[in-house]
């Protein structure tokens, strides 16, 4: 890998004035900041339509785009929203995503814009080129006609054409606005890394349109569900509840669904992180009736057969194999054989083994290293909550003799100095923010995903420091 660095921050965390970040001016201003610091990558979380808990990792479709990311001022410039409508939709706080308000109001506002739109030939062309997204729009229209019930409980097979057009409108505008942002980022030397959740929701257009791709019973319900066994994050394990893939059926048609999925991601991004990559080697299967993940078992996955099938779609895109969690020698061999860089998380290096692969002295070039991910505490939060023994161990490791709360530069500089090909820092760690800005806490359904920053907060970050480090350690 060419040595480089980047920042992890989701679109929703951006500033902008309308309840969460968007594909508008705020995204371009963020890209300017990254460029000024000498960063080469911006990593995001999935752009998918979120679930009722606002998680982008359990969506109504793997081929959807979140309509809440559509930039309202851009719609106004095109004559699709009035200045009065913009004013009425101004946020009440810049520090958190206003999810409740978005769910109550945003689609009604976008419906007004949709009613004023008249260039439907462009939308039709987009949907012809993206049939899975078209299927998602039909799914959402049918879901609305059936009182938003699970697709297995639907009774009506017709929908309101106005509802269908709303979803087609939102997908087209989210896509076109984002592609303009990506074009701008690339012009500034910034590449964007997206995120591919390994699984899909059982209540999704993916399962509804192709149920044979999943292990379901006669009623369309999962027989077993996805998750992970007990670990550092959760004593009961994590019961995700997603349906499991019928890998044999997918193999029979050459993994066409996966090729389409990766191809769509490669349109949107310059690289992608494949979440829970270890499931390609073996996946954890939990009885659907269980309340925890304790009784699950590991089952062999498709391995290199799938990876070889999708590689022609990838071309020159960066693929990051998220190989965290319960990792076996078989998983390590699969990551190595794939050629994809794996991941390392600094915080994990101080949770046990003195020679952990997560410690910087063990980093190799074909690796993406993080201080933490969206599932971790912030670096400051991690240090604050560590016991005295661990705090001292961290100070000794980074050769810092002062107080533990002043050692951040030593830690971050070491990351930049390391042999890892790519260093990624969550935006909270650039700002040295604490546990109260944590983005997600696995195993907790509530109070996640809402963290936002302001333009003024980003302005406090020492751009010259990061630019200097990127130059010193050959990451530009």
């Amino acid at each position: 890998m060419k040595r480089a660095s980047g920042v992890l921050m989701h679109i929703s965390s951006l500033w902008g004035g309308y309840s969460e970040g968007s594909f508008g001016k705020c995204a371009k201003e963020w890209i300017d900041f990254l460029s000024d610091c000498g960063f080469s990558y911006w990593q995001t979380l999935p752009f998918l339509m979120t679930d009722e808990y606002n998680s982008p990792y359990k969506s109504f479709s793997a081929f959807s785009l979140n309509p809440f990311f559509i930039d309202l001022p851009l719609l106004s410039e095109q004559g699709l929203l009035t200045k009065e409508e913009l004013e009425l939709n101004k946020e009440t706080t810049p520090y958190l995503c206003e999810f409740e308000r978005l769910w109550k109001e945003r689609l009604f506002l976008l419906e007004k814009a949709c009613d004023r739109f008249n260039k439907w030939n462009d939308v039709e062309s987009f949907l012809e080129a993206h049939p899975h997204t078209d299927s998602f729009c039909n799914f959402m229209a049918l879901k609305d006609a059936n009182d938003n019930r699970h697709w297995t409980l639907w009774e009506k097979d017709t929908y309101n054409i106005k509802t269908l057009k709303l979803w087609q409108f939102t997908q087209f505008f989210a896509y076109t606005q984002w592609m303009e942002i990506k074009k701008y980022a690339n012009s500034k030397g910034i590449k964007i890394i997206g995120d591919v959740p390994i699984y899909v929701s059982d209540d999704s257009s993916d399962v509804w349109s192709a149920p044979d791709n999943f292990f379901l019973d006669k009623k369309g319900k999962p027989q077993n569900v996805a998750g992970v066994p007990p670990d550092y994050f959760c004593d009961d394990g994590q019961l995700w509840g997603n349906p499991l893939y019928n890998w044999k059926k997918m193999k029979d048609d050459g993994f066409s669904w996966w090729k389409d999925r990766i191809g769509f991601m490669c349109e949107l991004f310059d690289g992608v992180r494949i979440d829970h990559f270890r499931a390609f080697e073996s996946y954890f299967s939990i009885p659907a009736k269980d309340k925890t993940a304790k009784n699950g078992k590991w089952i062999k996955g498709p391995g290199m057969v799938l990876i070889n099938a999708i590689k022609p779609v990838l071309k020159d895109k960066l693929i990051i194999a998220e190989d965290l969690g319960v990792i076996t020698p078989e998983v390590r061999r699969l990551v190595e054989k794939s050629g994809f860089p794996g991941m390392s998380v600094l915080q994990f290096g101080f949770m046990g083994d003195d020679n952990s692969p997560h410690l910087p002295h063990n980093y190799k070039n074909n690796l993406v290293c993080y201080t933490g991910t969206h599932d971790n505490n912030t670096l400051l939060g991690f240090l604050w909550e560590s016991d005295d023994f661990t705090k001292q161990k961290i100070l000794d490791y980074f050769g810092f003799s002062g107080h533990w709360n002043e050692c951040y530069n030593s830690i971050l500089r070491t990351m930049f100095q390391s042999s890892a090909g790519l260093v990624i820092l969550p935006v909270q760690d650039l700002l040295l923010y604490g546990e109260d800005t944590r983005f997600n806490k696995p195993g907790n359904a509530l109070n996640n995903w809402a963290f936002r920053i302001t333009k003024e907060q980003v302005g406090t970050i020492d751009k010259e420091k990061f630019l200097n480090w990127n130059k010193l350690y050959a990451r530009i």
Side-chain angles (χ1 to χ4, degrees):
M1 293 180 66
K2 183 181 182 297
R3 288 173 64 81
S5 65
V7 179
L8 169 62
M9 186 185 69
H10 196 31
I11 289 287
S12 60
S13 294
L14 284 167
W15 55 95
Y18 297 95
S19 298
E20 73 172 353
S22 72
F23 297 149
K25 181 182 178 183
C26 57
K28 290 186 176 182
E29 291 171 340
W30 170 248
I31 289 164
D32 292 340
F33 163 80
L34 294 175
S35 178
D36 290 345
C37 291
F39 291 118
S40 303
Y41 285 92
W42 172 13
Q43 183 171 341
T44 75
L45 301 189
F47 281 3
L48 308 178
M49 183 75 189
T50 62
D51 69 1
E52 65 271 31
Y53 301 110
N54 304 301
S55 169
Y57 289 92
K58 193 175 182 182
S59 177
F60 290 124
S61 173
F63 297 84
S64 64
L65 294 169
N66 191 337
F68 299 158
F69 292 162
I70 294 173
D71 187 69
L72 300 185
L74 287 177
L75 292 184
S76 180
E77 289 175 14
Q78 293 175 268
L80 300 178
L81 292 176
T82 67
K83 291 182 179 179
E84 292 75 18
E85 286 165 343
L86 285 185
E87 191 62 32
L88 286 171
N89 284 272
K90 283 280 190 179
E91 64 196 23
T92 59
T93 176
Y95 301 112
L96 292 171
C97 294
E98 298 177 326
F99 290 131
E100 184 176 356
R101 185 180 180 196
L102 286 166
W103 282 107
K104 285 182 178 179
E105 301 176 9
R106 188 55 55 88
L107 288 177
F108 290 108
L109 179 65
L110 293 173
E111 188 173 23
K112 292 181 180 180
C114 178
D115 289 342
R116 296 162 184 155
F117 180 68
N118 59 14
K119 297 181 180 178
W120 286 97
N121 287 341
D122 294 341
V123 178
E124 290 169 5
S125 297
F126 164 73
L127 294 171
E128 285 175 8
H130 300 89
H132 291 285
T133 307
D134 189 29
S135 177
F136 161 71
C137 295
N138 281 272
F139 175 84
M140 295 303 288
L142 281 167
K143 192 171 182 63
D144 177 76
N146 285 277
D147 301 318
N148 290 309
R149 287 177 292 176
H150 193 286
W151 68 267
T152 58
L153 302 175
W154 290 354
E155 296 175 353
K156 298 178 181 178
D157 59 3
T158 58
Y159 47 71
N160 186 325
I161 191 65
K162 190 173 181 179
T163 305
L164 176 64
K165 283 188 170 292
L166 171 63
W167 285 104
Q168 292 173 336
F169 171 89
T170 64
Q171 296 307 292
F172 170 74
F173 268 89
Y175 178 87
T176 53
Q177 285 189 1
W178 170 249
M179 295 308 287
E180 176 61 30
I181 296 300
K182 181 179 180 296
K183 180 180 178 182
Y184 182 79
N186 293 165
S187 74
K188 300 281 289 189
I190 304 296
K191 294 182 178 180
I192 302 177
I193 301 171
D195 199 312
V196 177
I198 187 71
Y199 293 116
V200 299
S201 170
D202 64 318
D203 191 16
S204 67
S205 63
D206 309 295
V207 180
W208 165 72
S209 62
D212 290 347
N213 281 338
F214 304 87
F215 285 116
L216 307 175
D217 62 22
K218 293 180 180 179
K219 295 181 179 180
K221 291 291 187 178
Q223 299 171 334
N224 292 278
V225 295
V228 289
D231 60 10
Y232 161 75
F233 288 119
C234 188
D235 291 339
D236 288 333
Q238 296 178 43
L239 181 62
W240 298 336
N242 309 79
L244 298 170
Y245 296 112
N246 185 338
W247 288 116
K248 183 179 184 304
K249 162 64 175 60
M250 288 186 152
K251 180 182 177 183
D252 288 343
D253 74 353
F255 300 102
S256 63
W257 184 86
W258 271 98
K259 288 179 181 177
D260 290 346
R261 187 183 190 189
I262 296 299
F264 184 54
M265 292 297 101
C266 288
E267 276 186 62
L268 298 174
F269 305 107
D270 301 297
V272 291
R273 184 193 81 124
I274 299 181
D275 182 54
H276 199 57
F277 185 87
R278 67 102 58 241
F280 288 164
E281 194 285 320
S282 293
Y283 58 92
F284 203 58
S285 174
I286 307 162
K289 61 179 175 58
D290 282 15
K291 302 300 182 184
T292 74
K294 289 182 176 181
N295 297 321
K297 63 179 181 179
W298 292 103
I299 299 176
K300 206 71 174 173
M304 282 302 300
V305 178
L306 171 63
I307 292 168
N308 287 332
I310 64 174
K311 272 191 172 182
V313 181
L314 299 173
K315 298 179 181 177
D316 61 344
K317 302 288 184 175
L318 170 67
I319 302 299
I320 302 172
E322 191 269 284
D323 54 349
L324 307 175
V326 181
I327 302 303
T328 63
E330 291 81 6
V331 176
R332 294 190 184 95
R333 284 196 291 271
L334 179 64
V335 174
E336 185 175 353
K337 197 171 182 180
S338 74
F340 303 150
M343 286 177 55
S344 185
V345 178
L346 180 68
Q347 292 181 27
F348 294 160
F350 298 96
M351 294 180 180
D353 184 2
D354 287 340
N355 199 34
S356 167
H358 297 283
L359 290 172
H361 69 270
N362 284 322
Y363 292 170
K364 55 188 178 181
N365 175 259
N366 196 34
L367 182 74
V368 184
C369 67
Y370 300 75
T371 47
T373 73
H374 64 279
D375 283 333
N376 288 98
N377 202 341
T378 67
L379 180 58
L380 174 59
F382 172 72
L383 289 167
W384 179 271
E385 294 180 1
S386 295
D387 57 41
D388 290 342
F389 176 81
T390 303
K391 283 188 177 80
Q392 189 58 52
K393 182 178 178 181
I394 293 170
L395 294 178
D396 291 344
Y397 185 89
F398 291 103
F400 189 80
S401 58
H403 192 273
W404 65 266
N405 66 358
E406 298 174 342
C407 66
Y408 309 117
N409 278 343
S410 296
I411 295 174
L412 298 184
R413 180 190 284 268
T414 300
M415 299 283 282
F416 278 78
Q417 290 172 330
S418 75
S419 296
L422 180 55
V423 174
I424 301 283
L425 306 178
V427 67
Q428 293 95 321
D429 291 350
L430 267 65
L431 290 158
L432 304 181
Y433 282 173
E435 193 270 343
D436 59 321
T437 64
R438 183 170 181 165
F439 204 53
N440 178 52
K441 196 169 186 178
N444 288 5
L446 303 177
N447 303 316
N448 292 318
W449 316 110
F451 168 72
R452 290 179 73 195
I453 56 174
T454 67
K455 187 176 179 181
E456 291 72 25
Q457 288 170 329
V458 171
T460 67
I461 297 172
D462 187 348
K463 293 189 290 187
E464 287 300 318
K465 176 179 71 177
F466 289 107
L467 179 61
N468 186 42
W469 285 353
N470 277 309
K471 289 178 177 178
L472 275 176
Y473 305 119
R475 295 194 178 275
I476 294 181

